[in-house]
Amino acid sequence: QQEQRIDQGVASGALSEKEAARLKKREAKIASDTAAAKADGTVTKAERAKLHNEQHRASRAIGKQKHDAQKAG
């Protein structure tokens, strides 16, 4: 879902390629953290909270970047 928001931001010109790359890198880290949390078969309450907070911060960063004064290209 957040990848779609990033792609839409690039398509509309709200995000530059550099901003999008930075945001996608952040999404990849969250995916990696999620896989690591699931690796032992159980996602603990603390891991779940950490992942939720990472997703929330990433979502806010996407919105902030999409609505800043910078325009792509």
Side-chain angles (χ1 to χ4, degrees):
Q1 181 183 1
Q2 299 214 56
E3 290 273 341
Q4 291 175 331
R5 289 178 62 209
I6 295 168
D7 292 339
Q8 183 275 329
V10 172
S12 70
L15 289 174
S16 69
E17 290 294 331
K18 188 173 183 179
E19 289 171 330
R22 188 178 318 111
L23 293 168
K24 285 186 177 190
K25 184 176 180 182
R26 189 174 193 165
E27 285 299 310
K29 182 186 182 313
I30 293 169
S32 174
D33 289 350
T34 301
K38 291 179 180 179
D40 65 357
T42 304
V43 179
T44 66
K45 188 174 181 178
E47 289 170 332
R48 198 169 28 256
K50 178 181 181 273
L51 293 170
H52 175 79
N53 287 336
E54 285 182 14
Q55 283 285 1
H56 182 70
R57 283 192 302 271
S59 179
R60 289 188 54 162
I62 292 167
K64 184 177 177 182
Q65 289 297 316
K66 283 177 73 174
H67 295 98
D68 66 7
Q70 292 177 300
K71 296 293 177 198

